[in-house]
Amino acid sequence: MNEIKKIPSWDLSDLYDSIKSEKISIELEEIDNEIIFFNKKYKDKLLLLSLDKLYISILEYEKIKEKIEKIYSFVDLITSENLLDIEVSNKGHYLREKLDKYSANIMFFTLEINKLTSSTIIEISKIENISRYIEWINNIRSMKKFQLKEDLEKLLIEKKSTGKNSWIRLFDETIASIFVTVDSEKYSLDRALDLMSSSSKRELRKQFGLSLSNEFNKKEDLLAFILNTIVKDKEIEDRWRGFTNVDSSRHISNFIEPEIVDSLFTSVKEFYPRISHRYYNLKRELLGFEKLNFWDRNAPLNFAEDTKWKWKDAKEFVLSAFFDFSPKLGEIANLFFQNEWIDALPRKGKTSGAFSHQTIPKLHPYILMNFYGRNNDVMTLAHELGHGVHQVLASEQGLLLSDTPLILAETASVFGEQLVFQSLLKSCSSINEKKQILSNKIEEMINTVIRQISFYDFEKRIHNRRRESELNKSEINELWLKTQKESLGDAFELGPEYRNYWCYVSHFFHSPFYVYSYAFGDSLVNSLFKVYQNNFEDFESKYLDLLKAGGSKNYKDLIRVFNLDASNQDFWYKGLEVIENLIDELVNIDVEA
Ligand SMILES: [Zn+2]
């Protein structure tokens, strides 16, 4: 059998046999009937229920949600491998619409939960069965303070389609219309950005960099106007809801206190010189350039050729890193290989991304990725298996409580990558190979931690400035260059061509202030990994408990077990030092050798 045939694809029949399965129609009808019954029983009555009955209603709600999620999951999965199949796409669309309608029909339940009085909540937290759901209830209620009258909420939802969402759509369509021509060949924005980063020819990277800037220039006025409008729209809604700072609503929806994000923000900025400035100076020397330009930021260092992995070896390598850390973790990861829960075979019509879909707690997750045998693919396998194992462990909590808080959502995946990265380093057969793996990891961490914080910095300045008046495009450009220069350091000489590179960052338009979550998640795992490396007592079992908890506890309680406290600046320093130590290691390789 040739190598490609040994790469697995998944077996979705644990969900359904096909998108046309009779079973789906039967289950849809069941859901429909159950929702009618559920509405009759509980709509407008939740506040009158005894706590025992309220508990039963939550169980019934969870059951219906689980049935809905099961079909949603199947549609997601089957679509992701059949993007070119019209029949799958039509049927999937039809099913999603039906499921959306069902979901809307039971939404009253969480709205009424929101109306429970504070004294009822205190009582709930004292009663054995129902108190299990307290974290879920608290999460639903976290926005309560900022909710407007029902009519106003309805108006805001309806106006969204002609307001914010239209502007986002205009952004998406504007960005999708950008193409660049290099050497008489036409490239999409994504492809051009990729080649600007990954080409080993500097001249070519530069060409892409300049052509992109040129194209952004043509749309700059429009994109500046869209950004101004979206930022103002947010300011109006924030003011009505009573959010004080520009990023308050994001913190509330992330369930994080503002002081903690501030602590992350200042710590990372403090580390700019020790991490990004230092690393890019090293990179500048290694590449032999006088100064780096923005198209050199991700330029390949080419210490060594990428290793070519067979699926079987990748699987064994990742599994053994997991087993070495924890036999229990290894065993769960192994289930994914034994049971056809992974789809790694690249093929036409399959999505290019990677994910681990948790489906529903009663079943098991499915992993999708595309395995081409590169080092990167081995890391992706480790990442997704980390998610997968987490989802299996958290499934004991049931549907409503299995979802991990956003800030911890990447814990198991990044931790899994760390385990595999450490074994990769140990297994290197040459110094150059080691340098390659180290520099890749450092750059990835800089992109996640340092760069995202510089984005957050940019957004804060834009949103605060917008509270005074509209910004013209040169003000936006100036703030962009300022925040980027600060984070990249003096190894770079950034000319006016870089001024408009904020134009394509979709987070600024789609989900303001989301960017810091990446830095938060990665830094948190780095701190946790440092604790592990320092031989913390019972680390393994405590770590497994953290994964098992899913969304049943908040992140503060979960990390306290490791003596970690995110409000303390030391916590962030610990994580940032992990990146700094990797740079030390890279610098010292030649000295040691
Ligand atoms: Zn992930």
Side-chain angles (χ1 to χ4, degrees):
M1 199 158 57
N2 72 28
E3 268 324 307
I4 193 87
K5 285 190 185 141
K6 292 178 195 157
I7 303 173
S9 38
W10 58 27
D11 173 6
L12 294 180
S13 64
D14 288 344
L15 285 157
Y16 303 97
D17 288 328
S18 94
I19 191 104
K20 291 180 287 183
S21 158
E22 183 72 16
K23 218 169 122 198
I24 298 183
S25 319
I26 297 171
E27 288 179 21
L28 278 173
E29 212 170 301
E30 280 173 18
I31 297 171
D32 199 13
N33 289 329
E34 283 170 30
I35 290 181
I36 294 171
F37 186 69
F38 188 78
N39 266 267
K40 269 195 198 136
K41 202 167 162 190
Y42 297 118
K43 188 144 191 225
D44 299 323
K45 295 177 192 137
L46 223 62
L47 297 180
L48 309 169
L49 296 180
S50 69
L51 292 188
D52 281 346
K53 294 238 166 81
L54 184 65
Y55 173 62
I56 291 168
S57 73
I58 296 176
L59 295 179
E60 287 174 23
Y61 173 78
E62 188 167 36
K63 237 175 163 170
I64 297 176
K65 283 293 264 186
E66 190 155 53
K67 285 187 169 175
I68 295 177
E69 280 311 316
K70 186 181 164 202
I71 305 177
Y72 265 133
S73 306
F74 182 71
V75 173
D76 286 349
L77 293 169
I78 192 97
T79 318
S80 65
E81 55 159 337
N82 292 291
L83 297 175
L84 304 174
D85 187 323
I86 306 283
E87 201 186 349
V88 170
S89 138
N90 286 345
K91 187 81 188 168
H93 198 73
Y94 162 81
L95 289 172
R96 276 205 189 103
E97 265 184 10
K98 245 186 146 56
L99 295 167
D100 287 349
K101 205 182 93 206
Y102 292 153
S103 305
N105 286 343
I106 45 167
M107 208 154 82
F108 78 88
F109 191 73
T110 47
L111 294 177
E112 289 188 35
I113 291 258
N114 216 343
K115 289 186 187 144
L116 295 173
T117 62
S118 309
S119 56
T120 311
I121 300 299
I122 295 174
E123 275 193 47
I124 287 176
S125 67
K126 291 180 193 154
I127 294 175
E128 201 182 336
N129 287 329
I130 194 168
S131 65
R132 215 175 87 68
Y133 287 94
I134 196 74
E135 192 63 22
W136 176 69
I137 294 174
N138 283 338
N139 286 349
I140 294 175
R141 291 166 52 87
S142 62
M143 285 299 259
K144 189 182 164 85
K145 211 175 115 193
F146 306 99
Q147 250 152 9
L148 303 170
K149 291 205 189 83
E150 220 166 308
D151 308 19
L152 283 175
E153 287 291 350
K154 269 193 184 151
L155 177 68
L156 280 181
I157 290 178
E158 279 200 41
K159 291 282 277 179
K160 232 179 216 169
S161 65
T162 54
K164 188 177 103 186
N165 290 353
S166 298
W167 291 104
I168 292 178
R169 184 171 150 200
L170 183 58
F171 164 78
D172 287 342
E173 288 175 1
T174 307
I175 285 300
S177 72
I178 292 179
F179 288 89
V180 299
T181 306
V182 169
D183 288 340
S184 44
E185 227 183 290
K186 206 172 156 188
Y187 298 87
S188 70
L189 174 65
D190 281 347
R191 190 74 192 117
L193 283 167
D194 179 43
L195 287 165
M196 176 184 84
S197 295
S198 64
S199 169
S200 20
K201 299 193 185 93
R202 191 180 203 203
E203 198 41 48
L204 196 64
R205 292 199 304 269
K206 181 178 171 185
Q207 260 182 305
F208 276 108
L210 295 179
S211 313
L212 277 166
S213 178
N214 212 12
E215 291 306 314
F216 294 152
N217 191 25
K218 294 178 193 161
K219 318 269 182 187
E220 227 177 281
D221 287 306
L222 175 60
L223 289 164
F225 186 71
I226 299 176
L227 187 64
N228 265 294
T229 311
I230 289 178
V231 173
K232 182 65 187 174
D233 182 83
K234 182 177 179 302
E235 187 272 324
I236 296 171
E237 195 173 324
D238 279 0
R239 186 157 31 87
W240 275 75
R241 291 187 183 283
F243 290 117
T244 34
N245 294 325
V246 291
D247 42 9
S248 304
S249 60
R250 177 62 64 192
H251 300 336
I252 301 272
S253 63
N254 283 346
F255 312 116
I256 309 179
E257 300 74 4
E259 311 82 70
I260 292 188
V261 183
D262 284 344
S263 168
L264 163 74
F265 180 69
T266 42
S267 312
V268 173
K269 284 192 80 166
E270 238 176 83
F271 268 70
Y272 279 178
R274 288 162 66 177
I275 296 182
S276 48
H277 298 183
R278 178 176 174 217
Y279 177 77
Y280 288 125
N281 261 311
L282 181 69
K283 181 160 185 169
R284 184 185 56 77
E285 273 170 39
L286 287 165
L287 289 168
F289 300 153
E290 183 102 18
K291 284 280 181 190
L292 296 177
N293 215 314
F294 64 91
W295 48 78
D296 300 318
R297 188 170 56 84
N298 289 320
L301 281 167
N302 294 333
F303 288 114
E305 293 251 328
D306 206 14
T307 329
K308 192 83 186 126
W309 291 81
K310 288 178 185 163
W311 173 258
K312 187 174 139 274
D313 299 333
K315 168 188 156 184
E316 272 162 23
F317 194 84
V318 173
L319 274 180
S320 93
F322 277 40
F323 267 109
D324 283 349
F325 166 67
S326 155
K328 171 94 181 150
L329 206 75
E331 272 163 34
I332 300 173
N334 203 12
L335 293 173
F336 284 78
F337 297 98
Q338 291 166 335
N339 292 298
E340 297 174 272
W341 297 349
I342 304 180
D343 196 306
L345 185 70
R347 57 193 181 271
K348 207 173 157 203
K350 179 179 164 181
T351 181
S352 57
F355 59 74
S356 177
H357 196 307
Q358 69 173 343
T359 75
I360 54 168
K362 278 201 197 85
L363 288 167
H364 56 79
Y366 280 103
I367 287 175
L368 176 141
M369 62 174 291
N370 289 283
F371 186 80
Y372 295 100
R374 303 164 300 196
N375 273 338
N376 255 347
D377 301 328
V378 180
M379 294 310 265
T380 306
L381 179 61
H383 183 102
E384 301 308 337
L385 266 181
H387 278 308
V389 170
H390 192 176
Q391 288 157 345
V392 170
L393 284 167
S395 66
E396 290 168 24
Q397 300 290 342
L399 185 81
L400 300 181
L401 292 167
S402 60
D403 252 350
T404 309
L406 174 84
I407 244 53
L408 285 177
E410 290 298 329
T411 307
S413 52
V414 178
F415 199 89
E417 270 190 65
Q418 275 282 7
L419 293 172
V420 170
F421 166 72
Q422 297 295 339
S423 350
L424 266 180
L425 270 190
K426 276 186 212 133
S427 73
C428 284
S429 53
S430 74
I431 287 178
N432 278 336
E433 205 183 317
K434 196 168 174 183
K435 281 183 181 173
Q436 188 67 52
I437 288 167
L438 269 170
S439 59
N440 285 350
K441 188 75 188 166
I442 295 165
E443 293 199 12
E444 185 199 306
M445 285 176 156
I446 288 179
N447 282 338
T448 320
V449 178
I450 309 281
R451 185 166 158 87
Q452 301 298 329
I453 286 299
S454 77
F455 283 3
Y456 175 45
D457 196 4
F458 168 72
E459 280 191 296
K460 283 214 282 194
R461 290 170 196 243
I462 295 281
H463 284 249
N464 277 316
R465 190 38 209 84
R466 183 68 184 88
R467 289 192 166 189
E468 294 156 27
S469 66
E470 199 168 75
L471 289 92
N472 59 40
K473 68 174 177 192
S474 45
E475 286 175 278
I476 302 177
N477 293 341
E478 211 176 287
L479 290 174
W480 170 255
L481 276 179
K482 184 175 164 50
T483 48
Q484 298 316 296
K485 277 181 179 163
E486 257 178 47
S487 76
L488 290 165
D490 62 4
F492 282 84
E493 192 165 86
L494 298 172
E497 303 85 11
Y498 193 53
R499 72 185 187 282
N500 51 20
Y501 266 70
W502 53 269
C503 277
Y504 75 93
V505 182
S506 66
H507 281 98
F508 298 157
F509 299 82
H510 278 254
S511 39
F513 301 109
Y514 188 85
V515 287
Y516 79 70
S517 320
Y518 295 112
F520 196 111
D522 237 36
S523 302
L524 189 146
V525 182
N526 282 343
S527 304
L528 192 65
F529 202 78
K530 188 94 181 180
V531 172
Y532 164 60
Q533 285 179 319
N534 291 341
N535 298 318
F536 189 77
E537 210 180 310
D538 284 339
F539 184 90
E540 183 202 339
S541 69
K542 285 176 178 154
Y543 177 71
L544 291 175
D545 284 343
L546 179 146
L547 301 188
K548 271 185 216 157
S552 65
K553 287 186 186 155
N554 72 43
Y555 83 94
K556 271 192 286 183
D557 295 335
L558 288 170
I559 63 173
R560 190 175 300 130
V561 180
F562 302 95
N563 293 337
L564 291 173
D565 171 9
S567 63
N568 187 335
Q569 218 147 15
D570 263 353
F571 169 81
W572 300 110
Y573 290 162
K574 226 184 231 138
L576 290 159
E577 275 159 17
V578 170
I579 314 181
E580 194 180 30
N581 293 344
L582 291 178
I583 304 177
D584 291 337
E585 212 175 325
L586 180 63
V587 172
N588 292 329
I589 289 181
D590 292 318
V591 185
E592 281 162 17

